[in-house]
Amino acid sequence: MLVQDAVWLISLMLMGLILLVFIVVYARSQQRQDDYTPLKDRAYRLRTRFFWVLVFTLIPVGLYTLIDLPYPEANAETRVDHVVDVVGYQWRWELSQTEFKAGETVLFRVSTADVNHGFGIYDENLRLMAQVQAMPGYTNRLRYTFDKPGTYKALCMEYCGTAHHGMISDIQVVAR
Ligand SMILES: [Cu+2]
C-alpha cells in the first residue's frame, strides 16, 4: 500500500469519526432529562432518529462512490500495454519507449534527475491530453490511452531554467 493510500484511508476514518460525533451530539440534543413521553411515541422518535442517522451515513458513502477521482487507476500496473520510464533532465526528456499503436494504454513512470519538471502529453494540435509532475526522488504514474494515431509531444510544464522551452520529445502513435 502506498503512503498516500494509507493517509487517505486514515483521513477518511477520521472524517467518519467526526461525523459520528456530530450524529451522536445531534441525537442527544433532542433528549430531555425527565421524559414522560408514552412509550410508543418514544419508539417513533427513535425510528425518526435512526432514519436520519442512516441518511447521514449513506450520503457520504453515496458521494464517495459518485465522485470521479482524477487518474483513478494510475497506481495499478495491470491492464496496460506498455510501461514506460520517463526521466526529466535540464533540458530534455528520456523516454524508454516513444512509439505506440493507436488504442494502446501506456503507464508512464515519471521522475527527474535534477529539478522539478512537468511531464505533459500534447496532441498534434498542441492540446494538453494528460500531465503529471516530475519530482526528484519520486516516481509519479500517469496512465494514458492514445486513441488516435499521430505525432504527440511531451513538453515540460514546469519552468525549470533557461532552456525549459526546449524540452520537447515526440511520441509516435501509428494506426493499428
Ligand atoms: Cu523542465
Side-chain angles (χ1 to χ4, degrees), residues 88-93 112 114-120 122 131-134 153-169:
Y89 295 87
Q90 284 171 310
W91 292 275
R92 68 196 152 87
W93 291 109
T112 164
D114 37 58
V115 299
N116 268 284
H117 299 278
F119 180 71
Y122 291 78
Q131 63 95 21
V132 73
Q133 193 78 8
K153 283 192 190 321
L155 303 183
C156 185
M157 300 183 69
E158 175 89 45
Y159 182 71
C160 58
T162 45
H164 156 74
H165 59 276
M167 286 182 72
I168 304 170
S169 281

Side-chain angles (χ1 to χ4, degrees), residues 49-69:
R49 255 181 238 159
F50 181 70
F51 169 76
W52 283 114
V53 167
L54 207 69
V55 166
F56 278 113
T57 325
L58 287 182
I59 283 174
V61 173
L63 281 180
Y64 180 68
T65 51
L66 280 178
I67 289 169
D68 193 15
L69 293 168

Side-chain angles (χ1 to χ4, degrees), residues 4-91:
Q4 286 101 319
D5 290 338
V7 170
W8 173 233
L9 202 69
I10 292 165
S11 306
L12 270 186
M13 287 195 293
L14 285 177
M15 282 187 254
L17 194 73
I18 290 167
L19 189 72
L20 206 71
V21 169
F22 268 99
I23 290 166
V24 168
V25 168
Y26 168 74
R28 295 210 157 198
S29 69
Q30 315 264 312
Q31 252 168 28
R32 251 188 280 165
Q33 199 80 48
D34 45 348
D35 202 343
Y36 299 112
T37 324
L39 198 64
K40 73 169 172 51
D41 288 351
R42 257 188 278 172
Y44 174 75
R45 212 166 52 195
L46 202 71
R47 216 168 54 191
T48 315
R49 255 181 238 159
F50 181 70
F51 169 76
W52 283 114
V53 167
L54 207 69
V55 166
F56 278 113
T57 325
L58 287 182
I59 283 174
V61 173
L63 281 180
Y64 180 68
T65 51
L66 280 178
I67 289 169
D68 193 15
L69 293 168
Y71 310 127
E73 296 171 295
N75 290 322
E77 296 203 18
T78 49
R79 285 182 287 117
V80 295
D81 298 297
H82 303 281
V83 178
V84 176
D85 288 312
V86 179
V87 185
Y89 295 87
Q90 284 171 310
W91 292 275

Side-chain angles (χ1 to χ4, degrees), residues 86-157:
V86 179
V87 185
Y89 295 87
Q90 284 171 310
W91 292 275
R92 68 196 152 87
W93 291 109
E94 258 186 38
L95 284 82
S96 62
Q97 188 184 341
T98 55
E99 271 191 40
F100 310 100
K101 289 196 188 83
E104 284 184 331
T105 300
V106 181
L107 177 71
F108 293 96
R109 297 193 297 206
V110 181
S111 192
T112 164
D114 37 58
V115 299
N116 268 284
H117 299 278
F119 180 71
I121 298 172
Y122 291 78
D123 71 0
E124 288 194 311
N125 304 316
L126 282 184
R127 221 174 47 193
L128 180 64
M129 305 311 284
Q131 63 95 21
V132 73
Q133 193 78 8
M135 299 149 72
Y138 291 87
T139 301
N140 290 329
R141 284 145 213 270
L142 175 66
R143 180 190 286 249
Y144 184 67
T145 304
F146 291 96
D147 291 323
K148 285 183 233 153
T151 306
Y152 291 74
K153 283 192 190 321
L155 303 183
C156 185
M157 300 183 69

